[in-house]
Amino acid sequence: MLSLENTQATTESKLAQKNRILLIEDEDLIRDMVMVALEEEGYEVHTANNGRAAVNMLQSSKLTKAQLIPDLIILDLMLPEINGLDICRLLRYQGDITPILVISAKSSETDRVLGLEVGADDYLTKPFSMRELVARCRALLRRQRYSSSSSSSPTAVQSYRDISLFTQECRVMVRGIEVNLSPKEFRLLELFMSYPRRVWSREQLIEQVWGADFLGDTKTVDVHIRWLREKLEEEPSQPEYLITVRGFGYRFG
Ligand code: CA
């Protein structure tokens, strides 16, 4: 029994190497202890010691360095500049679904409930043991892996690399930030994402998105592709998502 548990722990700590954690905590001692404990488990840990620094880190990682977006956020509530509850609210308002583990000295039931109500996934009261913290992190990351791998089929979310499209909500997130698409742009992207790498001619796209009785010409497609590229691509002139297939049309991915 014991050896089975050990095997499982070893496998999980190997998996953990892929995971990046952002630790937002202003107390140096706790921050250092937590960081050491998580690094020993093989996690990549980034830290912020006040609320504003954390928000700046998160926003700039979304804008410029997608590879720095955390898989899990550990969040203290009492922070200078921007408090933990507001950070949590802000992230959820922006559609960010990164799991959040709140760690706080506030232990009353209301604080716990409030933390979960503004979108935190779990709550740990200080002082806590490092074992407990690591176990909670592991559980949250496992849950996230499960939900992201099970959300590909007929559910309402389609994801490809940094783009997620929420069919029923008509929302699109790109590198963690919501972008506004017109109804035609949305339909076009939805069609492309439903058939990755399939090549579509302009006529086929017109028929699928605008309808067979559309009277405009196929330049309309090119214009919409250009607009979509400006909203989706990091470098619209060198697209990575909406690819031109010379002589045929367009494909996605
Ligand atoms: Ca604090």
Side-chain angles (χ1 to χ4, degrees), residues 25-27 76 78-79 126:
E25 166 64 79
D26 60 318
E27 283 165 72
D76 179 30
M78 302 284 279
L79 287 168
K126 292 177 190 171

Side-chain angles (χ1 to χ4, degrees), residues 178-196:
E178 184 159 3
V179 294
N180 287 314
L181 299 187
S182 71
K184 286 284 185 282
E185 290 165 353
F186 184 85
R187 274 286 299 127
L188 202 51
L189 181 61
E190 189 183 18
L191 181 69
F192 276 122
M193 289 183 78
S194 305
Y195 301 91

Side-chain angles (χ1 to χ4, degrees), residues 215-233:
L215 294 173
D217 68 59
T218 52
K219 286 272 176 287
T220 307
V221 174
D222 302 322
V223 171
H224 278 77
I225 295 281
R226 199 171 70 227
W227 289 339
L228 264 180
R229 278 177 177 157
E230 275 162 20
K231 294 177 182 182
L232 305 179
E233 306 279 357

Side-chain angles (χ1 to χ4, degrees), residues 206-208 210-215:
I206 291 273
E207 194 177 317
Q208 293 287 328
W210 282 264
D213 50 357
F214 175 73
L215 294 173

Side-chain angles (χ1 to χ4, degrees), residues 106-120:
K106 294 178 155 192
S107 63
S108 78
E109 192 65 17
T110 23
D111 289 318
R112 188 180 289 263
V113 170
L114 195 58
L116 298 175
E117 257 177 16
V118 297

